[in-house]
Amino acid sequence: MRRKVIAGNWKMNMLPDEAIRFIEELTPLVKDTENEVVLCVPYTDLFYVLLNVQGTNIKVGAQNVHFEESGAYTGEISAKMLKSINVEYVIIGHSERRQYFAETDETINKKIKVAITNGLKPIVCVGETLEEREKGITFDIITKQTRLALEGIDKDQVKNVIIAYEPVWAIGTGKTATADEANEAIKKIREEISKIYGNDIAECVIIQYGGSIKSSNAREFLTKSDIDGGLVGGASLKPEEFSKIVNY
Ligand code: PGA
C-alpha cells in the first residue's frame, strides 16, 4: 500500500512568527494521522519551522532548489544547503515556476537529479494548461512532462520521487478537475512510469493531485484508487483547514 502524502505549499506567504504560530496550532490537530504531513515553506521560514517541528510528525520541504551543486549563482539555494538544515522534501517544477521563472523540462530534470543525489525527496509538478486541455492533449502533455522529468533517473532513485498532478487551470482558481478526471490522469502518469521502470516500481511511486483542494473536497480526491495525496496551496495557510485535509 502506498502511503498518502499531504503537502502544504505556502508559496510566498507567512512570516516567521506566523509560521511558528501555525506549527503550534497544527501540531495537536495532525498528531494522530497515519498520513505523511509536509509543509513546503519559504526559505526564510525554513529554519524556524524546522526548529518548531522537532518531536512532531510534521515534515518540512522547500519550494525550489538550484540545479547546480554550488558556485556563482547569486541568490540561489543549493540542495546541499537544504539538506544541511534537515529539509526533507523540495517542490520542483511547480507551474508557477514554469510560467513566471522560465523553468523548462530540462532544468526541472537537472533539479530532480541534484535533489536526489543530496538526499532530498522531490515533489515534481506536472499538469496541462487550459488551452492544452481544450485541445484534448492533456494526457500527451502530462506523460511527456513526466518522461522528461525522470530522464536518467534510475529505478532505486525514482522510488523517492513524488509526482504531483496539478492541472494549471485548477491552481488557485477554485476550479478543480473532478476526482474521476484526476484519477484517470494520474493513472496515465503511472502507466508512463511503468513503461520506463516496470509495473512494480510504478506501483510504489506516490502521485498526488493538486489544484484547489480544500477540506470540503479533500475526501473525494484522496479516496480514489490512484491519488496518493495532495499538494495544497491556499488551503494550507490555515492550520484548522489544512488539518481537516490531512485527516480527510
Ligand atoms: P491551490 O494551489 O491549492 O491554491 O490551488 C495548489 C498548488 O499550487 O500547489
Side-chain angles (χ1 to χ4, degrees):
M1 261 294 273
R2 295 182 296 268
R3 69 189 194 286
K4 304 270 186 205
V5 179
I6 317 294
N9 172 12
W10 283 357
K11 308 193 179 183
M12 198 170 72
N13 295 292
M14 300 282 234
L15 298 176
D17 60 329
E18 296 170 311
I20 293 166
R21 225 177 308 130
F22 183 102
I23 303 296
E24 270 168 22
E25 286 177 39
L26 183 69
T27 298
L29 301 177
V30 298
K31 68 176 183 6
D32 296 322
T33 184
E34 284 172 8
N35 303 325
E36 178 101 334
V37 185
V38 184
L39 291 173
C40 297
V41 309
Y43 289 137
T44 46
D45 289 336
L46 279 173
F47 197 70
Y48 299 95
V49 169
L50 281 157
L51 280 179
N52 282 276
V53 298
Q54 280 181 24
T56 77
N57 57 340
I58 302 167
K59 307 289 167 65
V60 179
Q63 300 172 12
N64 186 27
V65 64
H66 194 260
F67 54 75
E68 293 292 351
E69 287 283 354
S70 64
Y73 301 99
T74 302
E76 293 294 328
I77 299 286
S78 74
K80 189 173 275 171
M81 289 169 178
L82 295 175
K83 186 68 187 175
S84 73
I85 57 168
N86 292 327
V87 170
E88 204 171 316
Y89 288 87
V90 60
I91 298 175
I92 294 178
H94 190 280
S95 63
E96 285 152 15
R97 297 214 54 91
R98 292 182 192 249
Q99 200 179 336
Y100 307 132
F101 303 98
E103 296 235 356
T104 63
D105 289 318
E106 195 191 342
T107 57
I108 289 164
N109 173 254
K110 285 189 186 171
K111 288 181 177 197
I112 298 169
K113 285 178 178 156
V114 82
I116 292 173
T117 49
N118 284 282
L120 298 170
K121 297 175 192 158
I123 300 176
V124 182
C125 303
V126 301
E128 81 287 2
T129 62
L130 185 59
E131 199 188 344
E132 289 160 345
R133 185 178 189 82
E134 282 168 352
K135 278 194 201 148
I137 56 172
T138 295
F139 292 162
D140 301 333
I141 296 294
I142 60 179
T143 52
K144 183 171 169 221
Q145 286 175 341
T146 303
R147 202 168 53 244
L148 294 175
L150 297 178
E151 214 165 73
I153 288 160
D154 70 32
K155 271 180 188 239
D156 292 328
Q157 295 173 323
V158 78
K159 290 183 197 160
N160 286 321
V161 175
I162 294 178
I163 309 278
Y165 167 57
E166 297 207 305
V168 178
W169 51 271
I171 294 176
T173 57
K175 293 185 195 143
T176 63
T178 67
D180 283 330
E181 282 170 343
N183 200 43
E184 282 316 299
I186 286 174
K187 279 188 183 165
K188 286 284 171 208
I189 293 169
R190 202 178 301 287
E191 257 171 53
E192 193 64 27
I193 297 173
S194 171
K195 281 184 205 160
I196 311 170
Y197 300 100
N199 201 41
D200 288 355
I201 304 274
E203 284 299 319
C204 296
V205 175
I206 290 169
I207 311 181
Q208 301 170 314
Y209 169 76
S212 298
I213 295 187
K214 44 185 189 269
S215 60
S216 58
N217 63 19
R219 192 176 168 74
E220 230 176 290
F221 287 103
L222 298 173
T223 49
K224 287 285 167 197
S225 63
D226 275 67
I227 303 182
D228 306 323
L231 185 56
V232 184
S236 74
L237 293 171
K238 298 227 164 72
E240 198 180 340
E241 172 71 4
F242 185 59
S243 74
K244 285 183 185 159
I245 298 172
V246 170
N247 299 315
Y248 70 91

